[in-house]
Amino acid sequence: MILAMTAAAAGPAAAQTPPAPPPTAPTALQAQAAWLKVRRALTPSQQAFEVRAFVAAATTERGRRPEWAIDARDLASGRAVPLDDPALLQRPQALEITLTMDGRFYTFRPLSRASLEPLLAP
């Protein structure tokens, strides 16, 4: 009886829950799935497309990209390549890139300059 009165007194307003806020960044699973497509790409144009899709998915509704750090390594020597080094865009196939975002590491070998440009853009 008391339970029925409480529910009746609360009315339909109690049954409504506030809407969930819109997502602002991809979940870890979404980001990993998008990055897997980057790694599985077989052609330079396909990889560039998948990198742009990953960046678009990571961009918030307000147009802000999440903060990420990029580490570039020369495959032959293992040395770090500075992000302002011209070799980064001239010989991207000779590099391994690691993107760190939200405490996760995303590694790939770029097939072309077009695969790096979306990650390096401000």
Side-chain angles (χ1 to χ4, degrees):
M1 173 92 169
I2 295 174
L3 183 60
M5 291 175 52
T6 306
Q16 295 177 355
T17 57
T24 56
T27 64
L29 289 176
Q30 290 170 327
Q32 288 174 353
W35 196 255
L36 186 60
K37 291 179 182 179
V38 171
R39 292 184 55 130
R40 287 187 175 168
L42 299 175
T43 65
S45 60
Q46 182 185 12
Q47 188 182 55
F49 175 81
E50 296 299 346
V51 168
R52 288 191 302 274
F54 174 81
V55 171
T59 302
T60 64
E61 290 181 358
R62 296 181 182 172
R64 295 184 59 201
R65 292 191 331 185
E67 296 292 323
W68 57 49
I70 298 175
D71 179 57
R73 299 264 169 196
D74 183 271
L75 287 172
S77 67
R79 72 172 180 87
V81 177
L83 297 181
D84 60 353
D85 189 334
L88 190 70
L89 295 176
Q90 291 172 356
R91 297 182 313 113
Q93 300 87 348
L95 303 172
E96 181 175 73
I97 304 296
T98 301
L99 179 77
T100 306
M101 181 176 77
D102 296 332
R104 292 181 176 80
F105 300 97
Y106 303 94
T107 302
F108 81 116
R109 292 183 181 171
L111 300 176
S112 71
R113 174 184 186 146
S115 298
L116 288 178
E117 288 173 339
L119 299 175
L120 298 174

